[in-house]
Amino acid sequence: MTAPALSADQSERSKGDNKDPTLTSISERLSSGSDSEDSDDDGLAKNPFLDPEAAARWKQVYEDAQYECRHVFDPTLTWTEEEEKVLVRKLDWRVCLWACVMFFALQVDRGNLSQAVSDNMLDELGLNTNDYNHGHVVFLISFLLAELPSQLVSKKIGPDRWIPIQIVLWSIVAISQCALTNRTNFLLTRALLGLLEGGFIPDIVLWLSYFYTSRELPIRLSFFWTALSVTSIITSLLAFALLRLRGVAGWGGWRWLFLVEGLITLLIGLASFFLMPASAVQTKKWFRPKGWFTDRETAIVVNRVLRDDPSKGDMHNRQAITPKRLWNALKDYDLWPLYAIGLIAYIPQNPPGSYMTLTLRRLGFSPLTTNLLTIPAAAAHIITLLGVTQLSEHFNERTFISMLQPLWTIGPVFALKFWPGLIDDRWGTYALVTVLLSYPYCHAILVGWTSKNANNVGSRTVSAALYNMSVQLGAVGANYVYQDYDKPYYPHGNTKLVVINCASIVVFLLTKAYYVWRNKQKDKIWNAMTKEEQDEYLRTTKLRGSRRLDFRFAH
């Protein structure tokens, strides 16, 4: 390759008419008409550091921030597409795979309650379904409250240190659930799990963003959330085995479930101390003297990420978020539409999913059969999740592809409300819930979308937490949709799900319209400026993130 190095996603972006309008600096791709100027602008769009002024400006930013990778920043570095493909595969095996394993640990310890209740846990602790709901709500509120503080701690000490600490601590609490005796310690352990697990997902997203470009991140996040469904399958099979231990040492099967699965996640937490490098330039340790990459590979990893988003180097990975940066991120109203989506988009499928094992038990299935029957929905969920994320990347479209989720769920949700065979036809009810829970999960797209539109490391750290907090807040509300007085058909609850499902479609459309309008608004101001005024703005502006006039929102 003779031209300056391009990342694979940037090469794709330059083809045809499907160019991504959300490049960091649009001024560098404005042209005055000649073919040579068009070619120069195209090169600048692919590598903004070809402009000597831009390269000097960002180099100074990285020096001022003490960015940990600044010594390998090289605006002239080139590499081949084949080199990059090989390197991305290595990143997938080293970075993305372990991120999925850690997410497995999260999902095991926050999700195995649904398997435990299939083994008469509620009856043995003297609890009812309202207590079960309260347990979920206590967990979610604790999870929500811990999101932002966890992100601030992670940014200060580094996600490579904080995440393993989180996993070890919550695993200890998860193990302690094998000794539950009453409602009080049930609610206490749910609160502790929420506090310790809160912030884990944004922390992982922050860590992954150090290694992947903005176009690559949603696909890797889809692998990440595929682990959710894989975990459901694995834990259902584990539950099938562990619940058979009922009576051993005088314990119920659900106690063995908490003990064994907590020990598994504890081992993952301990291993994470050794398998999470702080950055691409920090993979060499006493226990890994050769590191993961050659010097050339390290330079490629760093420079391709910076060319995709130069702002990723404006803070170092042990730098705390200042109160001013925190406040600026909190009041960034341009990201609020994405938080609104997070608030309501995942509610329609939440109650049927949370109640699936209880519903199957009510339909007459045994505890062991119940856990096996949850597997088909989890397997289908993997396929639709990967499919919808690949579609988003292929068409470079976020809103309409993400809308496939509420469009999928609206039919089954209407059936829950109006189908006369609900509950009475047990296999029909099982099929209906399975189709509903096989929905194309748009969460990976939304997380990547939020990260892209934050356009700044500090804002990205906070916005990831705020987005996830909105999701958790929606989940809190979802736990009050199905009430004990409404069972077993939940007519009032299902009416609420129909309304919320329709509302989520409207919110997606309004979000699309908002970002189109905001980009046109910025275009109008930017295009009214002369080239000299644009250059002066780029040199002197103190604005960060999405507030900059040269930034365009993804949608």
Side-chain angles (χ1 to χ4, degrees):
M1 182 180 290
T2 57
L6 312 182
S7 66
D9 62 292
Q10 291 166 323
S11 299
E12 282 299 315
R13 197 176 344 191
S14 66
K15 297 176 184 176
D17 297 325
N18 198 31
K19 184 178 288 186
D20 192 338
T22 58
L23 298 173
T24 303
S25 178
I26 64 165
S27 69
E28 294 160 337
R29 57 190 173 95
L30 295 175
S31 61
S32 57
S34 70
D35 291 341
S36 62
E37 287 173 331
D38 288 343
S39 177
D40 289 344
D41 288 336
D42 188 51
L44 285 168
K46 297 166 185 173
N47 179 6
F49 306 124
L50 281 181
D51 179 348
E53 290 188 9
R57 183 170 66 253
W58 282 108
K59 181 177 176 63
Q60 190 59 49
V61 169
Y62 302 153
E63 287 293 338
D64 293 343
Q66 293 294 291
Y67 173 49
E68 66 277 0
C69 302
R70 63 191 183 282
H71 62 284
V72 295
F73 171 58
D74 184 355
T76 64
L77 180 68
T78 62
W79 60 86
T80 66
E81 290 187 11
E82 185 57 34
E83 277 186 290
E84 186 166 19
K85 288 179 182 178
V86 171
L87 187 54
V88 170
R89 283 198 294 270
K90 181 180 285 191
L91 288 170
D92 288 341
W93 280 106
R94 301 281 193 178
V95 177
C96 186
L97 179 60
W98 192 250
C100 293
V101 172
M102 291 186 290
F103 187 66
F104 167 83
L106 173 77
Q107 190 58 28
V108 166
D109 287 335
R110 73 172 177 172
N112 57 8
L113 180 62
S114 64
Q115 279 126 14
V117 298
S118 71
D119 189 48
N120 301 321
M121 172 187 166
L122 296 182
D123 292 337
E124 292 178 13
L125 293 178
L127 308 177
N128 58 28
T129 53
N130 282 344
D131 295 319
Y132 177 65
N133 285 343
H134 292 325
H136 273 299
V137 170
V138 167
F139 170 84
L140 291 169
I141 291 176
S142 302
F143 196 97
L144 187 154
L145 293 175
E147 287 277 2
L148 193 52
S150 178
Q151 274 282 273
L152 298 179
V153 172
S154 179
K155 194 66 190 71
K156 174 63 177 176
I157 71 174
D160 55 297
R161 295 171 176 171
W162 178 236
I163 290 174
I165 292 172
Q166 282 182 288
I167 299 175
V168 168
L169 291 177
W170 87 51
S171 296
I172 293 171
V173 175
I175 291 170
S176 73
Q177 292 177 109
C178 70
L180 291 177
T181 57
N182 55 45
R183 184 177 186 271
T184 300
N185 49 46
F186 166 68
L187 295 177
L188 178 61
T189 55
R190 300 317 294 173
L192 289 174
L193 282 174
L195 289 172
L196 294 170
E197 293 179 356
F200 171 83
I201 293 174
D203 294 341
I204 280 286
V205 173
L206 175 65
W207 185 62
L208 288 172
S209 72
Y210 295 159
F211 301 93
Y212 290 105
T213 66
S214 59
R215 285 283 292 276
E216 293 166 347
L217 188 59
I219 293 296
R220 273 67 201 177
L221 291 176
S222 73
F223 299 157
F224 182 64
W225 269 287
T226 294
L228 184 151
S229 298
V230 172
T231 303
S232 297
I233 295 172
I234 293 174
T235 54
S236 293
L237 295 173
L238 275 174
F240 181 78
L242 294 173
L243 295 183
R244 290 173 177 266
L245 295 177
R246 170 168 285 278
V248 176
W251 279 15
W254 60 270
R255 296 186 187 274
W256 288 106
L257 183 80
F258 285 136
L259 174 63
V260 174
E261 293 186 348
L263 288 172
I264 292 172
T265 60
L266 178 61
L267 292 176
I268 292 173
L270 294 173
S272 297
F273 282 105
F274 303 96
L275 293 171
M276 288 189 71
S279 71
V281 300
Q282 295 168 287
T283 63
K284 293 181 181 180
K285 298 292 182 182
W286 63 267
F287 53 86
R288 192 171 50 234
K290 294 184 178 180
W292 283 353
F293 312 112
T294 65
D295 290 343
R296 176 170 173 77
E297 287 175 333
T298 299
I300 294 173
V301 171
V302 171
N303 282 280
R304 71 191 203 94
V305 167
L306 291 177
R307 291 177 192 186
D308 173 68
D309 184 354
S311 72
K312 286 188 176 181
D314 67 3
M315 293 182 74
H316 65 76
N317 61 3
R318 298 282 191 264
Q319 183 177 351
I321 302 294
T322 64
K324 183 178 179 181
R325 279 200 172 201
L326 175 60
W327 174 244
N328 287 336
L330 289 171
K331 68 179 184 178
D332 187 355
Y333 56 81
D334 284 317
L335 294 178
W336 292 358
L338 299 178
Y339 305 154
I341 291 175
L343 181 65
I344 68 171
Y346 310 106
I347 293 177
Q349 56 273 14
N350 189 308
S354 298
Y355 272 69
M356 187 174 189
T357 53
L358 290 174
T359 300
L360 292 175
R361 292 287 284 124
R362 191 175 291 124
L363 293 174
F365 295 107
S366 70
L368 302 178
T369 302
T370 291
N371 283 288
L372 292 178
L373 286 175
T374 64
I375 293 176
H381 192 258
I382 293 173
I383 297 170
T384 56
L385 165 61
L386 293 176
V388 76
T389 313
Q390 290 283 356
L391 277 176
S392 178
E393 182 188 34
H394 178 74
F395 291 107
N396 193 27
E397 169 60 47
R398 294 162 178 83
T399 311
F400 294 140
I401 300 300
S402 297
M403 267 180 57
L404 292 176
Q405 176 180 306
L407 291 175
W408 176 293
T409 57
I410 195 166
V413 166
F414 264 94
L416 287 175
K417 170 61 180 174
F418 298 107
W419 181 46
L422 186 67
I423 301 298
D424 299 324
D425 180 347
R426 73 172 190 167
W427 283 107
T429 300
Y430 166 70
L432 175 59
V433 175
T434 298
V435 171
L436 171 60
L437 298 182
S438 301
Y439 64 95
Y441 195 33
C442 68
H443 197 36
I445 300 173
L446 264 294
V447 171
W449 190 358
T450 303
S451 177
K452 177 71 176 175
N453 281 358
N455 194 43
N456 170 266
V457 173
S459 299
R460 188 174 289 120
T461 300
V462 177
S463 65
L466 292 176
Y467 168 75
N468 214 45
M469 287 172 69
S470 70
V471 174
Q472 301 308 319
L473 191 59
V476 170
N479 276 277
Y480 287 106
V481 171
Y482 283 178
Q483 293 289 310
D484 204 52
Y485 77 87
D486 208 21
K487 67 180 184 183
Y489 300 99
Y490 301 106
H492 297 97
N494 289 327
T495 298
K496 297 172 186 175
L497 295 183
V498 169
V499 173
I500 294 170
N501 202 126
C502 294
S504 70
I505 296 174
V506 173
V507 172
F508 271 111
L509 294 174
L510 290 176
T511 298
K512 179 78 168 182
Y514 177 78
Y515 284 134
V516 170
W517 173 72
R518 284 288 284 131
N519 285 344
K520 287 182 178 179
Q521 192 180 47
K522 287 191 173 189
D523 279 337
K524 184 177 180 180
I525 299 172
W526 185 261
N527 293 335
M529 300 166 67
T530 65
K531 183 65 166 65
E532 291 72 22
E533 289 173 332
Q534 292 171 356
D535 291 340
E536 179 66 16
Y537 174 87
L538 293 173
R539 282 193 299 270
T540 61
T541 184
K542 301 299 183 183
L543 293 176
R544 292 175 177 266
S546 63
R547 316 252 38 98
R548 292 173 60 99
L549 283 176
D550 58 327
F551 175 75
R552 299 296 177 267
F553 295 100
H555 54 78

